[in-house]
Amino acid sequence: MAEKKIPVDSEKIKMAIVAGLPLTITTYTLPHDMEIYMGEVLSDFLRRLGQEHMIQYLTYCQQELITNAKKANTKRIYFQEKNLNINDENDYKLGMKDFKVETLNNISHYLEKQKKAGLYVKLVIQYRHNKIKMEVHNNSELTVFEYKRIHDKLSRVQQYTSIDDAMNQILDDTEGAGLGLIIMILMLEKIGMTEENFQTICANGETITRIILPISPASERDIDIISEEFQDTIENLPQFPENISRLNELLSHGDAKMSDIAMQISNDVSLTAELLKLVNSAAFSLSSPCKNIADAVKMVGIRGIKNMLFTIGSLKIFSDMNTTSDRLWEHSYQVAFYAYNLARNFCPDDKSIVEDAYVCGLLHDMGKVVFENSHPEFLKSIKKICIEKGIEGEFFEKILSGVNHGEVGARIAEKWNFPKSISAVIRFHHFPENAPKEFHRLTALIYIADLMVYYQEAEIEYYQIDADVLDEFNIRSKEQFDSINDKLHAAFVSNAK
């Protein structure tokens, strides 16, 4: 009977790369079709990052690490059945004497037993901050003897000049991890890495083997070149509409009177409509509609009006571009709604976060707008530059998917003199840990709102969301997260009717 092939979801891989999210695959028995699937996910992941040269080497490393993790789990079951203490040196030596032969001759039995015991092997791959992280976890902590063995092998790597040299010098029938580990380090050296890029740690009941690799210098150069070309697009974006710039200038004066602001807005039909729409939205929950601009100005406040102007001006400029992505803006409006309501519930005492949450949620992906809506002739000219500078067209397309859209969006915000809080959120909304301290909580809030919408649309899974960020807002379980998300979604749908 032919093995059933597990399909690879390329869109989820793309989403994980763009958002810097981890991809995790867990297995208990590691059947052959799962090994193939893990390899295909890694290959697709590396291709999307333009790191095809790593595929052969990292695929070997992945196979070696997951095989060793499965073997470690099998060892725990074997020692239990032999009534041997795996942490006792004499028992360890005795058990390892026949471990390989006895388990290979009855491997189905041991795999079934370790599955019942809940012993898993977990692969994690992630692209973040221009680095690729690949980890293999298993919930069998290393013994002192196993850890010493790994350390000894890593220490001996330098004495081998090649893989052939290592194979000729090492003969070890007790545990296959020895030679395999050395070959893996030698393979990493072929792509410019050392044993320092490899770590083995024990934490929270798991053994974690980790490989961290920077993307190739050539790829970093290509990203920089393309980003510079998009910088030209940013420079050519128009300034804010004159009516909005004039009102912004008035708001910037500390002695501006509310009556003067109300009069300035009243002279502009579109701004009047937008302000009344904002005040009469669910955000203010008024018992009766507000129809007076002076009252509306007092209600929204200076900061609220500024945020409204940033929103209106941005949407006006982007709507005048060649094309617009309805799906992108629908996502942004939903994130804005979620962010504002999360802010009211989680940060009620921080007025600045509550006031800024909506505009930050709405404009967090403005860098993607530039990627998606750039004029075809402009994209054609950049492709030509890429070809001239030796950048593959395929890699250019990958960058267009928005890998660095946070940086591009932040540069646009800075061009338009947005407050530092909004620029910071746009730049770091996928990496809140890197946001300036004073804007960290707001950025973390937008991060959660953004991923909640993607989660609602089944584009990501709960495990991919940073547990530390969830913990900041006292979200401690999937059930709690689901409950909050369902309430927000229902309110958004109801509000949109």
Side-chain angles (χ1 to χ4, degrees):
M1 183 176 175
E3 288 183 341
K4 185 178 179 182
K5 185 175 180 180
I6 305 173
V8 173
D9 191 335
S10 291
E11 284 304 307
K12 281 198 172 181
I13 293 173
K14 172 183 170 183
M15 175 68 200
I17 290 173
V18 170
L21 300 174
L23 286 167
T24 298
I25 305 168
T26 302
T27 179
Y28 292 88
T29 58
L30 194 63
H32 186 56
D33 60 338
M34 180 58 74
E35 285 190 78
I36 292 172
Y37 172 67
M38 288 177 166
E40 289 179 345
V41 168
L42 178 63
S43 296
D44 190 295
F45 182 85
L46 293 172
R47 285 192 192 98
R48 286 187 172 275
L49 287 169
Q51 306 301 297
E52 288 86 346
H53 66 287
M54 290 187 183
I55 291 176
Q56 176 186 353
Y57 302 105
L58 284 188
T59 298
Y60 174 85
C61 294
Q62 175 185 279
Q63 290 172 344
E64 176 67 19
L65 294 178
I66 61 178
T67 298
N68 288 342
K70 181 177 77 169
K71 191 181 297 179
N73 290 345
T74 302
K75 195 186 298 182
R76 269 65 188 167
I77 300 299
Y78 177 80
F79 271 68
Q80 285 175 10
E81 290 196 340
K82 295 291 183 181
N83 291 316
L84 296 171
N85 181 0
I86 198 168
N87 292 300
D88 179 85
E89 188 171 6
N90 291 325
D91 278 5
Y92 188 81
K93 288 178 179 177
L94 180 63
M96 290 313 301
K97 186 178 177 182
D98 297 317
F99 166 72
K100 182 181 287 188
V101 173
E102 291 193 12
T103 55
L104 284 177
N105 287 339
N106 197 11
I107 191 62
S108 297
H109 164 76
Y110 287 103
L111 290 179
E112 187 59 33
K113 288 280 250 180
Q114 65 195 51
K115 182 178 181 180
K116 286 182 179 178
L119 298 178
Y120 57 75
V121 175
K122 181 165 61 179
L123 171 70
V124 181
I125 52 177
Q126 186 175 18
Y127 171 70
R128 203 170 177 84
H129 309 316
N130 282 348
K131 287 185 173 61
I132 296 165
K133 179 175 74 175
M134 182 172 77
E135 292 181 341
V136 173
H137 300 224
N138 65 290
N139 51 342
S140 299
E141 285 199 17
L142 286 172
T143 65
V144 173
F145 323 114
E146 290 169 321
Y147 187 82
K148 182 176 182 298
R149 180 180 178 77
I150 290 172
H151 180 74
D152 288 345
K153 294 299 180 186
L154 290 175
S155 300
R156 291 175 60 189
V157 168
Q158 298 303 321
Q159 73 184 59
Y160 306 113
T161 57
S162 68
I163 293 173
D164 288 341
D165 183 33
M167 294 183 72
N168 289 332
Q169 291 190 47
I170 297 176
L171 184 62
D172 189 341
D173 290 327
T174 58
E175 296 183 67
L179 178 59
L181 181 60
I182 288 173
I183 291 175
M184 189 181 74
I185 299 300
L186 291 172
M187 280 196 161
L188 289 176
E189 288 181 354
K190 285 183 174 290
I191 49 176
M193 303 300 115
T194 69
E195 66 271 17
E196 293 178 1
N197 296 87
F198 176 80
Q199 301 172 335
T200 299
I201 60 173
C202 290
N204 302 317
E206 287 188 323
T207 295
I208 303 168
T209 48
R210 176 183 297 146
I211 297 173
I212 298 179
L213 303 170
I215 63 170
S216 67
S219 295
E220 285 199 66
R221 181 211 65 175
D222 293 349
I223 291 174
D224 288 343
I225 290 172
I226 293 171
S227 295
E228 284 174 14
E229 294 303 322
F230 272 100
Q231 180 66 32
D232 291 340
T233 300
I234 294 168
E235 293 303 322
N236 291 326
L237 284 173
Q239 294 293 341
F240 262 31
E242 188 179 342
N243 60 336
I244 292 178
S245 296
R246 198 165 48 243
L247 186 52
N248 246 331
E249 190 176 339
L250 177 63
L251 291 167
S252 297
H253 294 303
D255 57 352
K257 295 179 181 178
M258 288 295 190
S259 56
D260 292 339
I261 295 168
M263 184 177 296
Q264 188 76 42
I265 293 175
S266 298
N267 292 332
D268 190 301
V269 176
S270 63
L271 290 182
T272 299
E274 287 294 337
L275 178 57
L276 291 177
K277 180 180 175 183
L278 173 64
V279 171
N280 291 309
S281 70
F284 286 85
S285 304
L286 300 179
S287 55
S288 58
C290 174
K291 298 179 181 178
N292 185 290
I293 287 297
D295 289 341
V297 167
K298 291 176 185 176
M299 215 171 294
V300 175
I302 299 292
R303 194 184 188 106
I305 292 173
K306 279 187 173 184
N307 285 341
M308 180 190 75
L309 294 176
F310 296 136
T311 300
I312 295 170
S314 300
L315 296 180
K316 174 72 171 65
I317 291 172
F318 289 136
S319 67
D320 290 341
M321 293 178 72
N322 187 51
T323 59
T324 55
S325 170
D326 290 340
R327 186 176 182 277
L328 180 57
W329 285 117
E330 285 168 9
H331 171 82
S332 296
Y333 278 114
Q334 193 168 354
V335 171
F337 181 87
Y338 280 31
Y340 177 73
N341 284 281
L342 287 171
R344 288 203 306 172
N345 283 279
F346 289 111
C347 314
D349 299 327
D350 195 325
K351 190 177 178 183
S352 63
I353 289 182
V354 175
E355 290 181 337
D356 290 352
Y358 189 89
V359 66
C360 287
L362 186 64
L363 301 179
H364 75 285
D365 269 345
M366 64 196 299
K368 278 189 179 179
V369 178
V370 172
F371 281 120
E372 294 193 13
N373 298 324
S374 292
H375 195 281
E377 287 302 313
F378 168 72
L379 296 182
K380 191 175 177 181
S381 68
I382 291 188
K383 283 185 181 180
K384 184 179 178 182
I385 291 169
C386 288
I387 293 170
E388 290 172 353
K389 296 188 177 182
I391 302 174
E392 294 181 13
E394 193 176 329
F395 185 69
F396 170 75
E397 297 294 340
K398 290 164 188 165
I399 297 303
L400 280 189
S401 69
V403 168
N404 58 343
H405 68 274
E407 180 61 31
V408 171
R411 291 183 187 183
I412 296 170
E414 288 162 354
K415 170 185 168 64
W416 289 338
N417 296 316
F418 278 22
K420 290 181 179 179
S421 58
I422 300 178
S423 298
V425 169
I426 293 171
R427 177 171 277 117
F428 299 113
H429 68 274
H430 285 309
F431 314 107
E433 71 275 14
N434 290 346
K437 187 176 180 181
E438 64 267 36
F439 308 129
H440 170 78
R441 193 161 176 81
L442 175 60
T443 307
L445 187 89
I446 301 304
Y447 168 88
I448 290 179
D450 186 30
L451 294 188
M452 273 188 165
V453 175
Y454 283 122
Y455 177 80
Q456 185 74 44
E457 296 168 350
E459 293 191 36
I460 68 164
E461 296 180 46
Y462 176 74
Y463 79 82
Q464 294 179 285
I465 304 169
D466 191 317
D468 290 337
V469 179
L470 291 172
D471 193 54
E472 281 186 55
F473 297 95
N474 297 313
I475 300 174
R476 304 286 164 76
S477 69
K478 183 178 182 298
E479 291 72 27
Q480 185 186 1
F481 183 84
D482 286 343
S483 175
I484 295 169
N485 203 353
D486 290 343
K487 288 174 183 175
L488 285 172
H489 181 66
F492 178 75
V493 171
S494 174
N495 193 63
K497 290 180 180 178

